[in-house]
Amino acid sequence: MIERIQDEDLAKADLKDQERLEAERQPWDSTYQEIDYRFPHGAGGFSKTSQGSIRGKRNFDATHITANERFAAAGMAITTPEQTQYIMPFFLDEDLNKLPAVKEWRFRAGRRLQAIRHASHTGFNLAVNEDWDQLGRYGTSAIWQESTASGLVYRCLHLSETWIDVDFAGRVNRVHRKFERTAEQLAEQFGEENLSPKMLDALREGGDKAKKFEILHVVCPNTRWDSERMDHDRFPIASRYLACDEKIYLRRKGFNTMPVSVSRHMTSAGEIYGRSPAFKVMPNINGVNAMKHTTLRAGHKAVDPALLFYDDYGATSLSSKPGGMNPGFVDESGRPMVHRMPGGENGIPYAIEMMQDEQATIRTAFLEEFYATLTDPNSRMTTTEVLERIAKQGVLVRPFASRYATEKQHPMTNRDFDLAMREGQIEDFPEEVKEAGAWPLFDYENPLAQMARAENVQKSMRAIDALVPLASISQDVADVVDVDAMARGTLEDIGVSPTYVRSPEAVAQLREGRKASESAALNAELLNKAGGGIKSLAQADAIANGGGA
């Protein structure tokens, strides 16, 4: 171990904080365990299971599972769509944003950030999909960002080994992660020279190499921050790995930006941890599984019923297999002496109807109706109708997705930008930005933003439809509308890339060229007409002179 990074009082304080955080989350853990019981997601978790085993073996209905999978896929698609450039840096000074050099830098920087984030080695898409999956189940999820020799790496942390705390404004500012590793794994991560005495004993010949050690990782604001120092205290964010048993720090470092981004699906006032769609409809999930179990039993009885008969008449067996022979089970008149026992099959249609109602409630909680609206391949709606529907449906997801942008996307993008600038992966600011002393913020041109702006486009379309009858009465109506501004605003609102839109200067030049061409054509036509007139006059004069001779 390294003596200079040890601090017994700090170690005790970190462990005490961990005890407090565990006690604060303890009431939530029983709900998380119930969720694990219904969602079959591998080993570990709040209900510890061995690798390879399957949770949810008592599920009879999978509506909640498929709904959450669609929730995760759609959430990822509307917030971080890989196929479109959605990261857009901007400055608070609107005049600065409009300068050509700044506008070009913003576009290139956003494109570069997205390329870095979505590179195949980063694991970003995998982490975000797991992140939305956890938000659908638990309502709280964290993503770890780390800069390695090969570039940025993203990893979703399971909530069962993650604890959080918030600042005075309710924003997550402290993350604890407790996990277990073998001595060999810890030596690979931290280096053998940083390990504790017990870990070194496990590594020696004859040591218990399978023994696992509990490690506490603390990431929080550095209360000792001093930018002039040359050790771990020069960073505003502290990072400490503590061996819980021996109270020995394996590593103490820091970060310039928060490396763990935590988002909550939704919270009530005073709550730290989020509530998920699964929280909301857990009674429906349990209910529909109970109904499905009962309906399956009823169906089994209906297709393979118990048999009723008055007397076995000495028969020792009854063959129910295809082609089976059952002598003696009809009377002299040919009437069967064995009858099926009623098994409740008449109630199956009613049970199915009840299940469908419960399944619809579950799908609604996971916003499946909203996503179905956006992906309906059979839609025959007009553009205006589509915009109206998107604007209305966007109201349903805006609170959740906006919170995701605030708590997850903004911290992640700020850290991406900070690391990329430090590594020279993004070109330096234009001189205009340097002179202004500005620092960029980030907006997201994703489908969610387009939904929010769909209402503006919808109003513009309606305005045009309303003005058409007036324009037929007086052409002066067109003078009221700034068509150029409306066209640019509409293109921006529906998400058209700025590179596809001509600048005002280019449009002015194009119009001047068109006017010049039209003027030249008009002059040529006038000259032709004038030439024809002169020719006619000359011919008339010639005829007159000839006639006079």
Side-chain angles (χ1 to χ4, degrees):
M1 67 179 183
I2 300 178
E3 290 291 345
R4 70 175 183 274
I5 67 172
Q6 304 307 318
D7 188 328
E8 184 177 354
D9 292 338
L10 184 60
K12 290 180 179 179
D14 283 342
L15 291 173
K16 187 174 181 180
D17 277 335
Q18 177 63 18
E19 290 178 2
R20 174 181 61 83
L21 295 178
E22 289 182 4
E24 288 177 353
R25 202 185 71 182
Q26 193 275 332
W28 297 80
D29 287 351
S30 59
T31 304
Y32 295 146
Q33 289 170 4
E34 185 178 359
I35 289 171
D36 277 357
Y37 176 79
R38 287 298 182 191
F39 288 83
H41 285 272
F46 293 91
S47 301
K48 300 296 183 183
T49 58
S50 59
Q51 294 186 13
S53 63
I54 300 177
R55 290 198 191 98
K57 289 186 288 188
R58 297 183 185 178
N59 278 335
F60 294 93
D61 184 84
T63 301
H64 59 289
I65 299 171
T66 56
N68 190 50
E69 289 174 351
R70 293 191 182 103
F71 174 82
M76 180 177 173
I78 67 170
T79 55
T80 56
E82 182 179 5
Q83 68 277 10
T84 58
Q85 181 178 339
Y86 61 91
I87 302 175
M88 181 58 69
F90 72 96
F91 299 94
L92 291 177
D93 187 340
E94 288 296 332
D95 293 332
L96 187 62
N97 288 326
K98 294 176 182 178
L99 295 177
V102 176
K103 187 181 293 185
E104 291 177 7
W105 179 90
R106 291 170 55 211
F107 178 77
R108 290 195 300 268
R111 183 172 57 186
R112 180 59 182 156
L113 276 174
Q114 184 158 336
I116 293 172
R117 171 178 285 182
H118 287 276
S120 58
H121 67 271
T122 65
F124 176 80
N125 291 334
L126 176 62
V128 172
N129 184 262
E130 292 175 353
D131 186 56
W132 274 99
D133 177 82
Q134 281 203 123
L135 288 173
R137 286 183 288 140
Y138 304 129
T140 304
S141 186
I143 287 184
W144 170 267
Q145 296 166 265
E146 188 171 4
S147 179
T148 65
S150 59
L152 278 175
V153 174
Y154 301 84
R155 184 158 50 98
C156 183
L157 305 179
H158 199 283
L159 187 61
S160 62
E161 60 180 30
T162 308
W163 291 260
I164 62 174
D165 202 359
V166 295
D167 62 12
F168 72 96
R171 297 169 298 192
V172 175
N173 70 337
R174 173 182 285 265
V175 178
H176 283 206
R177 179 172 172 247
K178 190 162 67 173
F179 56 92
E180 292 183 342
R181 296 288 186 272
T182 64
E184 287 185 342
Q185 292 171 328
L186 294 171
E188 181 181 358
Q189 182 176 1
F190 300 107
E192 191 171 329
E193 67 279 4
N194 294 305
L195 301 187
S196 68
K198 289 184 179 181
M199 295 172 187
L200 293 174
D201 289 340
L203 285 176
R204 293 192 181 97
E205 190 70 27
D208 185 3
K209 298 187 181 299
K211 180 180 179 180
K212 291 190 175 182
F213 298 87
E214 193 172 63
I215 308 299
L216 176 64
H217 183 201
V218 178
V219 181
C220 63
N222 186 2
T223 57
R224 307 175 184 178
W225 178 31
D226 183 354
S227 59
E228 300 298 324
R229 294 178 64 102
M230 298 302 294
D231 60 2
H232 50 265
D233 282 334
R234 75 180 186 274
F235 297 103
I237 305 296
S239 171
R240 303 187 287 268
Y241 287 88
L242 176 67
C244 298
D245 183 28
E246 301 170 84
K247 298 182 180 61
I248 293 176
Y249 286 107
L250 307 182
R251 175 183 292 169
R252 291 181 66 182
K253 287 191 175 181
F255 303 98
N256 290 295
T257 50
M258 187 66 170
V260 187
S261 302
V262 181
S263 59
R264 284 84 50 91
H265 182 66
M266 61 180 296
T267 59
S268 298
E271 288 183 336
I272 294 177
Y273 291 88
R275 294 181 179 270
S276 67
F279 271 48
K280 184 188 303 182
V281 292
M282 188 53 65
N284 305 82
I285 293 173
N286 291 330
V288 77
N289 273 278
M291 292 179 194
K292 188 69 171 285
H293 185 203
T294 302
T295 305
L296 287 172
R297 290 178 59 197
H300 192 184
K301 291 177 182 178
V303 299
D304 189 14
L307 301 177
L308 301 174
F309 47 88
Y310 175 72
D311 195 333
D312 61 7
Y313 301 100
T316 58
S317 64
L318 182 66
S319 176
S320 59
K321 66 181 181 181
M325 305 291 289
N326 292 285
F329 282 97
V330 294
D331 61 13
E332 295 85 351
S333 301
R335 291 174 300 186
M337 302 175 68
V338 178
H339 301 275
R340 60 181 296 160
M341 177 182 287
E345 56 270 17
N346 293 334
I348 290 179
Y350 176 67
I352 292 175
E353 183 179 347
M354 289 182 64
M355 283 192 298
Q356 289 174 342
D357 289 342
E358 295 295 317
Q359 290 167 341
T361 301
I362 294 170
R363 294 190 182 101
T364 299
F366 284 94
L367 305 177
E368 192 165 321
E369 291 180 354
F370 163 71
Y371 299 126
T373 300
L374 298 183
T375 57
D376 183 9
N378 299 315
S379 175
R380 296 294 182 270
M381 294 183 292
T382 65
T383 302
T384 304
E385 290 172 336
V386 170
L387 291 170
E388 287 182 5
R389 194 162 186 178
I390 288 176
K392 292 175 181 177
Q393 294 287 343
V395 175
L396 300 176
V397 298
R398 199 170 299 156
F400 314 127
S402 296
R403 182 162 196 155
Y404 189 83
T406 300
E407 295 188 338
K408 185 66 62 66
Q409 283 187 277
H410 288 334
M412 289 176 65
T413 305
N414 282 322
R415 177 159 173 76
D416 289 347
F417 182 75
D418 178 72
L419 293 173
M421 288 292 286
R422 291 176 185 276
E423 296 294 331
Q425 292 294 316
I426 293 180
E427 62 183 277
D428 199 5
F429 294 127
E431 290 300 324
E432 295 89 338
V433 175
K434 293 180 180 179
E435 291 177 7
W439 188 263
L441 301 176
F442 296 92
D443 201 359
Y444 303 98
E445 296 297 322
N446 52 27
L448 177 68
Q450 294 170 18
M451 291 174 205
R453 294 195 300 264
E455 188 173 354
N456 295 335
V457 180
Q458 170 194 342
K459 290 178 179 177
S460 299
M461 295 293 186
R462 285 182 173 177
I464 292 173
D465 292 339
L467 291 176
V468 169
L470 296 177
S472 64
I473 299 173
S474 172
Q475 295 182 355
D476 295 339
V477 171
D479 299 336
V480 178
V481 181
D482 188 341
V483 179
D484 283 5
M486 181 177 285
R488 292 184 183 280
T490 301
L491 292 173
E492 182 179 352
D493 287 343
I494 63 178
V496 175
S497 172
T499 57
Y500 299 158
V501 182
R502 289 190 177 96
S503 66
E505 294 77 13
V507 171
Q509 185 176 359
L510 187 66
R511 288 173 176 171
E512 287 295 330
R514 186 185 302 127
K515 287 181 180 179
S517 299
E518 292 174 352
S519 177
L522 179 61
N523 290 335
E525 184 179 353
L526 292 175
L527 286 174
N528 288 334
K529 290 181 178 179
I534 293 171
K535 182 178 179 181
S536 298
L537 289 173
Q539 290 176 347
D541 184 61
I543 292 171
N545 292 332

